[in-house]
């Protein structure tokens, strides 16, 4: 018993901190308060209307009896006499017909009295209307106990219904609150797991499809993106370390060789080779910095609508001699004159990277097709192509196909192409070269959005 008491107190403290339960209890109390206030106003309104109706009925009965009592030799036969209503009439000769209690004639107009009528042994509340009629004084009385019994029964029924509705609302509210609290708790626990370093944790949607599900979906998508970025960062770090380890080792060997060699001519050759290694490393870091700068989005402010075909022709004119010198053939196919919102400098950079990538990864005598139809840019070759499962990975920074590790290049060319295409909001797709051109090869297609006028 001593062990369970603290646990129960802690559970109660946790319950008090649960937002959903607190909201459910608060809303139920608000609903109950509104219900009680509405009931009070309704009771006041019904009571006022009932009083008004009784007064009207008294006056109408008094008026009707007044007309009937004129020239009536036996007024007592006309006067009502029941447990609900009775009347008393005093004629001009002070002869009283009906009940002769002095209470009835004490006040003129409408008033209320406690009165014991002939039909009951107890005093009841009566509302009377005392006014002149037929040369005398006529009093009409209505029993209020019967009328207010109805109002009391209505109030009791309303109270019972209010209690039932409040209990049902509280139970349903607590059930909904507990259900949502479990969802809040699952989101909180998943975030704790993610914060602890497990980026594979997911909340997963429920069948509710509400705002809370939308938040869970956004968190899951953010976590997926975060997991992908962390993996890319880890892969990038590993690839940078892998790609720089060899040239750094060569650089160190050359510097050691220059340090121990007495021959000045040999030292010059060694140092020149060392400088070449340093230039390659600097170029790699510059490319990484350029991708980081482009990813910031600041470059997009310089974009302007330009004909895509003109940029493709200009780049083809520049690189045709380079392709021919490498022993390959460049075939240009340009149609249309669609303008796209772009940076001329970045698109030339993109095309240069695609052409250099085709030259680097295709054998001599290969063909490179450069096509621009409207806002769609395509470059294809008849080289070995890229396996389908690797086509997404080759767009990541510093990622290269394992068989390409021995070839030149930093693994940043296609990554820079991907970054530039994202900056231009262009859809980048890697597929096989069309069968009408070659049975194998790589096809890279970019579909740009049309520049708005």
């Amino acid at each position: 018993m001593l062990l369970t008491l603290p646990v129960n107190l802690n559970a109660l403290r946790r319950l008090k901190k649960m937002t959903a339960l607190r909201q459910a209890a608060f809303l139920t109390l608000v609903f109950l308060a509104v219900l009680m206030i509405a009931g009070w106003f309704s009771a006041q309104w019904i009571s006022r209307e009932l009083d008004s109706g009784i007064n009207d009925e008294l006056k109408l009965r008094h008026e009707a009896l007044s007309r009937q009592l004129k020239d009536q030799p036996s007024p007592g036969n006309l006067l009502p006499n029941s447990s609900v209503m009775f009347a008393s009439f005093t004629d001009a000769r002070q002869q009283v017909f009906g009940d002769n209690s002095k209470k009835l004639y004490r006040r003129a107009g409408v008033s209320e009295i406690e009165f014991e009528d002939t039909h009951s042994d107890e005093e009841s509340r009566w509302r009377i209307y005392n006014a002149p009629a037929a040369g005398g004084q006529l009093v009409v009385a209505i029993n209020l106990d019967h009328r207010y019994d109805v109002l009391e029964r209505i109030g009791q029924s309303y109270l019972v219904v209010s209690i039932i509705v409040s209990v049902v609302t509280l139970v349903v509210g607590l059930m909904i609150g507990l259900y949502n609290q479990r969802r809040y708790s699952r989101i909180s626990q998943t975030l704790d797991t993610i914060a602890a370093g497990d980026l594979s944790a997911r909340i997963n949607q429920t069948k509710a499809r509400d705002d809370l599900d939308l938040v869970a979906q956004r968190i899951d998508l953010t976590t997926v993106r975060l997991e992908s970025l962390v993996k890319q960062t880890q892969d990038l770090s590993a690839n940078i370390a892998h790609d720089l380890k060899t040239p750094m080792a060569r650089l160190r060997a050359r510097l050691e060789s220059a340090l121990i060699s007495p021959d000045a001519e040999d030292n010059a050759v060694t140092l020149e080779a060392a400088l070449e290694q340093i230039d390659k490393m600097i170029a790699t870091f510059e490319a990484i910095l350029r991708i980081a700068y482009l990813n910031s989005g600041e470059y997009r402010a310089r974009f302007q609508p330009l004909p895509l075909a003109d940029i493709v022709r200009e780049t083809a004119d520049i690189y045709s001699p380079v392709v021919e010198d490498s022993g390959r053939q460049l075939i240009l196919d340009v149609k249309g004159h669609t303008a796209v919102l772009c940076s001329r400098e970045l698109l030339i950079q993109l095309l240069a990277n695609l052409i250099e990538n085709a030259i680097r990864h295709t054998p001599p005598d290969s063909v490179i097709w450069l096509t621009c139809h409207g806002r769609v840019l395509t470059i294809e070759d008849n080289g070995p192509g890229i396996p389908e499962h690797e086509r997404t990975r080759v767009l990541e920074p510093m990622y290269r196909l394992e068989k390409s590790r021995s070839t030149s290049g930093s693994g940043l060319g296609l990554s820079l192409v991907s970054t530039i295409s994202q900056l231009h909001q262009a859809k980048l797709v890697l597929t096989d070269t069309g069968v009408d051109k070659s049975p194998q090869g790589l096809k890279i297609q970019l579909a740009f959005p049309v520049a708005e006028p």
Side-chain angles (χ1 to χ4, degrees), residues 12-87:
L12 289 175
R13 291 193 188 100
R14 284 198 300 272
L15 283 174
K16 287 175 64 179
K17 293 180 180 178
M18 291 180 175
T19 304
L21 288 180
R22 290 164 63 179
Q23 288 178 348
F26 175 74
L27 290 176
T28 303
L29 290 176
V30 169
F31 175 76
L32 183 60
V34 171
L35 199 63
M36 297 303 293
I37 292 172
W40 184 82
F41 277 107
S42 299
Q44 293 298 315
W45 181 80
I46 292 173
S47 177
R48 189 169 56 251
E49 291 296 316
L50 189 60
D51 285 344
S52 177
I54 292 173
N55 293 341
D56 292 343
E57 185 178 352
L58 279 172
K59 292 175 181 177
L60 288 173
R61 290 296 184 103
H62 190 279
E63 185 180 349
L65 283 173
S66 296
R67 286 196 299 269
Q68 293 174 357
L69 288 172
K70 288 180 180 177
D71 302 326
Q72 178 55 251
S74 301
N77 296 330
L78 296 175
L79 300 178
N81 184 15
S82 69
S83 61
V84 177
M85 176 182 289
F86 71 88

Side-chain angles (χ1 to χ4, degrees), residues 106-126:
R106 191 172 294 167
R107 292 182 182 176
V110 177
S111 62
E112 290 187 14
I113 61 171
E114 297 286 337
F115 185 73
E116 182 178 339
D117 66 317
T118 57
H119 300 281
S120 175
D121 297 333
E122 297 178 354
E123 287 190 340
S124 304
R125 284 194 304 163
W126 294 81

Side-chain angles (χ1 to χ4, degrees), residues 384-451:
I386 296 177
E388 187 172 352
H389 66 277
E390 295 277 14
R391 288 171 187 167
T392 303
R393 299 295 312 275
V394 296
L395 300 177
E396 298 173 6
M398 303 293 293
Y399 183 83
R400 290 190 292 170
L401 299 177
E402 189 57 34
K403 63 183 181 182
S404 304
R405 284 286 176 189
S406 57
T407 62
S408 60
S410 61
L412 292 169
L414 288 181
S415 177
L416 188 59
V417 168
S418 175
T419 301
I420 294 174
S421 65
Q422 289 175 15
L423 196 62
H424 287 79
Q425 298 177 350
K427 184 179 179 181
L428 175 64
V429 180
L430 275 64
T431 57
D432 293 327
T433 296
V435 293
D436 57 324
K437 292 185 173 68
S438 172
Q440 65 174 15
L442 176 65
K443 175 182 178 179
I444 300 177
Q445 186 176 74
L446 294 102
F448 292 84
V450 179

Side-chain angles (χ1 to χ4, degrees), residues 199-219:
L199 297 180
S200 63
R202 299 290 182 271
I203 300 170
N204 295 323
Q205 287 180 286
T206 64
K207 296 180 179 178
R209 299 288 188 268
D210 54 7
D211 291 348
L212 209 54
D213 252 4
L214 185 61
V215 172
Q217 183 186 18
R218 297 283 173 80
I219 292 175

Side-chain angles (χ1 to χ4, degrees), residues 142-162:
I142 292 179
N143 192 328
L144 294 181
D145 287 348
H146 289 280
R147 303 298 175 97
Y148 282 102
D149 280 348
V150 177
L151 182 61
E152 188 176 346
R153 283 195 290 272
I154 292 175
Q156 290 173 349
S157 302
Y158 187 83
L159 181 61
V160 172
V161 171
S162 299

Side-chain angles (χ1 to χ4, degrees), residues 353-401:
N353 280 22
L354 290 176
I355 294 172
E356 288 175 358
N357 185 73
I359 293 173
R360 184 175 296 117
H361 298 293
T362 57
D365 298 327
S366 296
V367 180
I368 301 171
W369 291 272
L370 179 59
T371 306
C372 177
H373 289 173
R375 59 184 179 85
V376 180
L377 174 66
T378 307
I379 184 164
E380 299 170 88
D381 61 55
N382 56 353
I386 296 177
E388 187 172 352
H389 66 277
E390 295 277 14
R391 288 171 187 167
T392 303
R393 299 295 312 275
V394 296
L395 300 177
E396 298 173 6
M398 303 293 293
Y399 183 83
R400 290 190 292 170
L401 299 177

